[in-house]
């Protein structure tokens, strides 16, 4: 992961593009353009962090806060700049400690630098997500998006954390000396971006709501503090940073509605205080924190925003702006990841897509429908280890059939993440010779001969008077049906909405293990339990966990499936697979991409041993930590009990067809 000859820092062009990416992926951000950054931006972006820190120090004078409508947001930005000055100072101290200090002094300086970052994390993540990834991203090398066959070496705080905790490792001074300058570089870069951004109230409240849920889903899972154990401490600082960011709004809020102002003030302070008093990441009762502290804080932020008449900017996230928390029953918008030309999913369109899902005419020989493998009675799986061909044989390289419940709530599909939209997935499956063995063109021709079906297409999607079935229309209606298959009302969901007795004591303990000692929540993120990274859910990292070809616990051989490498040809993505959802996992056995494990107990045992490396497989690029989790038998039982509490197919039953039998071909 680290190179002895130094740190790879992206070029000026890549730095500037990272800003423009925010305007593409988050069009509501009015970020500085390449032109407005000018020569200084190109100069800063091209330099290594150490040179940036020396050549482009943060100025002592702050930008004045704007007047008029942007007054409060401008004051929040001024406070953000002050926090970036503190981050710069912390970076200086860390550099000095790396040069002259002891290991203990470096650990102290590192912790201070991360605390300084956490205090400004809300707006840093909102305005400069690319820079945050370089400063505090996962310590895993990643592919260069502009040169896919090259690798970007990971940089920043998590790299430093690996050599400092739980004890300093050999060579720590060199690693810290190489990485410490990026703290000051990031502070300068974030200030540069914010200086060219016109702040509005919607930015501030959007950043606040995102940060509270980031604390819950990432911070308290140990996502970026897995070795130091400082997750609770850092989360408390982040929440206080949100409170400070909202301070300019408190006078106006108090004048408008004192009760809501008090609720906002008290809820954020109480949430931070709870975390201050419960620092043990293994034993932290996250359910109590979410229900009694984080949830009320998020709802107070939402109430304050509505009271002040602040509108949230549009977002590409599946988290609906109408929902105060990620745990609300209407938290997710399945249309968020749909292509721009996808029509609104009317009941008529969904019903038509549902019928096509059960129609064997989509396959080349009328031998199977989508529902042949994605069976509603099995939570839309088939109960087999690997998907068979249409002739009943299981070909080499075949994979397990995943559920399509909540399939719309992820940015990519298939185990190897090869498609972006559900419409693309439909085309891939229909044309795959080992699955449907047809084509959208052939299916459209066949279905178009059914005048009643063609008329339904025209009625649902609009027509020119001549009923017609087209390949694109087939994609559209099937994708609409898939987007309707949501189920987020398990007993676990009801517990997080306040009915904590919906879970047994063992299940509640299992949730603590899941998010704490088991480290499951660092890949299967709350609340969707898949690999889409909250709170935006727009990215989904593939993981290399070392799935064996047979269920052995010693001297295991790796399953030969290359995974995402077959699509990207990136060496570190060999044997990498999308992190699937754990919702309804009690109904979707067998498990893993090859169906190698038949029980949840076996899956937990695999992770407890350290994944593939822990059972003897040779896997130098494993992203799953190879160290045993050392879960007790009771902890393993509790974890399995919790996973079973994620069962919920009630919602999808409501849109299932009356008869599960495929329609006859004509």
């Amino acid at each position: 992961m680290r190179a002895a000859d130094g740190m790879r820092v992206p070029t000026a062009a890549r730095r500037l593009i990272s800003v423009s990416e925010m305007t593409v992926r988050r069009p509501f951000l009015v970020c500085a353009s390449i032109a407005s950054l000018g020569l200084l931006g190109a100069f800063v972006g091209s330099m290594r962090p150490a040179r940036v820190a020396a050549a482009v120090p943060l100025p002592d004078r702050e930008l004045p806060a704007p007047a008029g409508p942007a007054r409060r947001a401008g004051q929040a930005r001024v406070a953000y700049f002050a926090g970036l000055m503190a981050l710069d100072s912390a970076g200086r101290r860390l550099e000095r400690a790396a040069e002259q200090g002891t290991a203990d002094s470096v650990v102290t300086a590192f912790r201070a630098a991360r605390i300084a970052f956490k205090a400004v994390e809300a707006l840093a993540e909102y305005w400069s997500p690319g820079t945050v990834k370089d400063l505090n991203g996962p310590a895993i090398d990643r592919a260069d998006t502009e040169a896919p066959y090259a690798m970007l070496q990971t940089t920043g705080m998590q790299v430093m954390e690996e050599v400092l905790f739980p004890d300093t490792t050999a060579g720590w001074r060199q690693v810290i000396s190489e990485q410490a300058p990026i703290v000051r570089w990031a502070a300068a870069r974030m200030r540069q971006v914010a200086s060219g951004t016109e702040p509005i109230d919607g930015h501030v409240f959007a950043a606040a709501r995102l940060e509270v849920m980031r604390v819950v889903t990432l911070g308290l899972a140990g996502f970026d503090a897995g070795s130091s154990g400082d997750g609770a401490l850092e989360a408390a600082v982040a929440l206080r940073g949100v409170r400070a960011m909202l301070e300019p709004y408190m006078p106006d809020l108090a004048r408008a509605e004192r009760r809501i102002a008090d609720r906002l003030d008290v809820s954020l302070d109480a949430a931070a205080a709870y975390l201050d008093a419960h620092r043990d990441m293994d034993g932290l009762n996250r359910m109590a924190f979410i229900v009694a502290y984080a949830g009320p804080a998020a709802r107070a932020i939402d109430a304050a925003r509505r009271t002040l008449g602040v509108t949230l900017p549009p977002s590409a996230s599946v988290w609906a702006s109408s929902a105060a928390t990620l745990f609300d029953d209407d938290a997710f918008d399945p249309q968020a990841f749909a292509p721009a030309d996808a029509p609104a999913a009317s009941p008529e369109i969904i019903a038509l897509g549902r019928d096509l899902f059960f129609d064997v005419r989509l396959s080349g020989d009328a031998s199977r429908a989508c529902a042949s493998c994605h069976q509603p009675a099995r939570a839309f799986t088939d109960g087999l280890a690997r998907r068979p061909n249409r002739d009943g044989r299981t070909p080499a390289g075949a994979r397990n059939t995943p559920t399509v419940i909540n399939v719309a709530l992820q940015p990519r599909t298939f185990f190897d993440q090869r498609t972006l939209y559900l419409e693309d997935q439909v085309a891939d499956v229909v044309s795959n010779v080992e699955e449907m063995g047809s084509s959208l063109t052939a299916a459209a021709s066949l279905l178009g001969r059914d005048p009643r079906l063609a008329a339904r297409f025209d009625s649902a999607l609009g027509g020119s008077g001549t009923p017609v079935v087209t390949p694109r229309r087939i994609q559209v209606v099937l994708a609409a049906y898939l987007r309707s298959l949501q189920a987020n009302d398990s007993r676990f969901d009801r517990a997080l909405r306040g009915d904590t007795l919906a879970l047994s004591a063992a299940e509640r303990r299992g949730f603590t293990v899941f998010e704490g000692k088991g480290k499951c929540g660092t890949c299967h993120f709350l609340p969707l339990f898949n690999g889409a990274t909250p709170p935006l859910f727009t990215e989904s990292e593939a993981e290399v966990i070392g799935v064996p070809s047979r269920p052995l616990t010693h001297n295991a051989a790796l399953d030969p499936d290359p995974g995402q490498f077959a699509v990207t040809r990136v060496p570190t993505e060999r044997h990498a697979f999308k992190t699937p959802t754990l919702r309804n996992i009690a109904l979707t056995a067998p498990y893993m991409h090859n169906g190698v494990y038949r029980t949840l107990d076996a899956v937990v045992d695999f992770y407890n041993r350290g994944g593939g490396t822990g059972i003897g497989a040779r896997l130098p690029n494993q992203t799953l930590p190879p160290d045993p989790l050392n879960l007790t038998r009771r902890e393993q039982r509790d974890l399995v009990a919790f996973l079973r509490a994620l069962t919920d197919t009630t919602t999808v039953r409501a849109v299932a067809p009356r008869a599960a039998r495929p329609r006859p071909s004509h």
Side-chain angles (χ1 to χ4, degrees):
M1 302 301 179
R2 295 181 295 272
D5 60 347
M7 176 176 55
R8 167 78 178 270
V9 179
T11 62
R14 189 171 299 117
R15 284 292 173 204
L16 297 176
I17 287 172
S18 73
V19 179
S20 66
E21 282 177 347
M22 289 190 291
T23 66
V24 173
R25 298 182 62 181
R26 298 182 186 174
F28 50 89
L29 289 181
V30 189
C31 297
S33 65
I34 293 177
S36 67
L37 290 175
L39 294 178
L40 176 62
F43 176 64
V44 171
S46 66
M47 299 177 67
R48 287 181 177 271
R51 293 176 60 196
V52 171
V56 192
L58 293 176
D60 293 331
R61 298 183 63 185
E62 301 292 348
L63 290 180
R71 170 182 55 84
R72 297 172 303 194
Q75 290 172 343
R77 183 174 64 170
V78 167
Y80 176 54
F81 285 166
L84 292 178
M85 294 291 286
L87 179 61
D88 179 78
S89 297
R92 290 176 187 270
R93 291 193 294 272
L94 181 57
E95 290 180 46
R96 287 196 298 269
E99 292 173 2
Q100 307 167 3
T102 64
D104 286 344
S105 68
V106 168
V107 168
T108 299
F110 168 81
R111 281 184 155 134
R114 183 116 81 175
I115 288 297
F117 163 67
K118 287 292 177 177
V120 297
E121 183 178 47
L123 279 173
E125 282 276 13
Y126 193 80
W127 279 334
S128 299
T131 301
V132 169
K133 183 173 288 188
D134 288 328
L135 173 64
N136 194 48
I140 300 173
D141 291 353
R142 60 186 186 274
D144 187 336
T145 56
E146 296 170 52
Y149 298 104
M151 297 303 297
L152 296 177
Q153 290 177 329
T154 187
T155 60
M157 291 182 169
Q158 292 197 52
V159 175
M160 290 187 271
E161 184 181 348
E162 282 192 343
V163 300
L164 295 179
F165 301 96
D167 299 298
T168 52
T169 61
W172 64 266
R173 191 180 297 276
Q174 178 181 348
V175 173
I176 302 302
S177 297
E178 292 171 351
Q179 298 293 328
I182 201 172
V183 176
R184 296 184 60 214
W185 168 85
R189 178 64 181 154
M190 285 185 246
R191 182 185 177 97
Q192 183 186 51
V193 172
S195 296
T197 301
E198 188 65 35
I200 63 173
D201 294 336
H203 292 174
V204 177
F205 275 91
R209 76 193 289 266
L210 288 167
E211 185 65 13
V212 173
M213 290 296 103
R214 185 177 291 112
V215 162
V216 170
T217 58
L218 298 181
L220 296 187
F223 182 70
D224 59 351
S227 301
S228 69
D230 291 342
L233 168 65
E234 294 175 3
V237 171
L239 292 175
R240 291 194 172 97
V242 171
R243 174 62 184 82
M245 183 176 68
L246 295 176
E247 179 62 33
Y249 297 87
M250 296 303 288
D252 290 345
L253 185 60
R255 283 190 291 271
E257 181 58 76
R258 167 64 68 177
R259 180 178 55 85
I260 293 177
D262 290 344
R263 197 170 85 195
L264 178 62
D265 194 21
V266 169
S267 62
L268 284 168
D269 283 348
Y274 181 88
L275 295 176
D276 282 337
H278 300 83
R279 296 280 182 85
D280 176 19
M281 289 292 284
D282 283 352
L284 175 63
N285 188 336
R286 292 159 177 85
M287 180 163 293
F289 175 74
I290 294 171
V291 173
Y293 298 96
R299 286 187 284 274
I301 290 171
D302 189 62
R305 176 186 67 80
R306 295 175 187 274
T307 298
L308 293 172
V310 175
T311 301
L312 292 175
S315 171
S317 172
V318 294
W319 182 13
S321 60
S322 59
T325 82
L326 287 173
F327 308 105
D328 294 357
D329 56 7
D330 58 349
F332 297 105
D333 175 13
Q335 288 292 118
F337 292 150
D341 64 343
S346 68
E348 193 175 6
I349 292 175
I350 293 172
L352 179 55
R354 176 194 61 199
D355 287 347
L356 283 191
F357 192 82
F358 287 80
D359 198 321
V360 296
R361 289 175 291 182
L362 288 179
S363 63
D365 56 4
S367 63
R368 63 166 51 167
C370 303
S372 299
C373 295
H374 297 285
Q375 302 166 20
R378 296 179 180 270
F380 288 81
T381 63
D382 59 10
L384 303 175
R386 298 174 186 256
R387 170 194 46 76
N389 272 343
R390 285 174 294 132
D391 61 8
R393 294 180 298 106
T394 302
R399 294 170 179 163
N400 183 257
T401 299
T403 181
V404 290
I405 299 175
N406 291 342
V407 69
L409 307 182
Q410 55 189 2
R412 290 186 175 273
T413 60
F414 290 110
F415 274 113
D416 53 23
Q417 304 197 110
R418 64 183 181 269
T419 57
L420 185 62
Y421 298 118
L422 290 178
E423 286 80 357
D424 301 327
Q425 182 182 24
V426 168
D428 189 295
V429 171
V430 171
S431 63
N432 190 318
V433 66
E434 295 177 346
E435 294 191 60
M436 304 298 275
S438 184
S439 70
L440 287 174
T441 300
S445 176
L446 180 60
L447 294 172
R449 298 172 197 166
D450 182 339
R452 295 180 62 184
L453 185 63
R456 288 183 65 193
F457 269 95
D458 264 22
S459 175
L461 298 172
S464 58
T466 303
V468 63
V469 180
T470 67
R472 185 60 181 173
R473 285 183 162 192
I474 293 175
Q475 291 176 278
V476 164
V477 298
L478 277 170
Y481 173 62
L482 292 172
R483 292 188 180 101
S484 76
L485 301 179
Q486 285 197 68
N488 297 299
D489 193 32
S490 66
R491 288 189 293 112
F492 167 76
D493 297 294
R494 295 197 291 276
L496 287 193
R497 292 170 193 150
D499 182 13
T500 54
L501 294 181
L503 297 182
S504 69
E507 290 164 344
R508 292 195 295 272
R509 291 195 305 267
F511 178 52
T512 298
V513 173
F514 184 93
E515 288 288 292
K517 187 176 177 180
K519 303 184 186 302
C520 314
T522 60
C523 292
H524 295 276
F525 302 112
L526 293 179
L528 297 176
F529 293 95
N530 62 22
T533 308
L536 290 173
F537 304 98
T538 53
E539 294 185 5
S540 181
E541 296 290 339
E543 299 290 342
V544 181
I545 63 174
V547 175
S549 57
R550 296 171 58 199
L552 304 178
T553 56
H554 299 283
N555 299 319
L558 198 65
D559 185 88
D561 191 327
Q564 194 162 298
F565 172 78
V567 178
T568 66
R569 295 297 171 182
V570 174
T572 57
E573 293 181 352
R574 188 181 293 276
H575 307 301
F577 295 89
K578 182 184 74 172
T579 302
T581 182
L582 300 182
R583 286 185 172 273
N584 290 300
I585 193 170
L587 306 177
T588 60
Y591 306 108
M592 305 300 188
H593 69 270
N594 61 353
V596 67
Y597 294 123
R598 296 201 166 274
T599 67
L600 287 175
D601 300 272
V603 173
V604 168
D605 179 73
F606 167 78
Y607 282 107
N608 193 41
R609 294 174 184 271
T613 300
I615 58 176
R618 295 184 178 181
L619 193 60
N621 63 321
Q622 179 170 307
T623 58
L624 180 74
D627 304 319
L629 295 173
N630 296 317
L631 299 180
T632 66
R633 290 187 179 277
R634 172 174 157 168
E635 287 170 335
Q636 293 180 60
R637 289 195 301 270
D638 289 346
L639 181 53
V640 170
F642 165 68
L643 293 173
R644 294 186 180 280
L646 297 177
T647 300
D648 170 30
T649 58
T650 302
T651 308
V652 297
R653 286 197 192 104
V655 294
R658 295 189 185 93
R661 298 176 61 185
R663 292 175 55 186
S665 59
H666 295 282

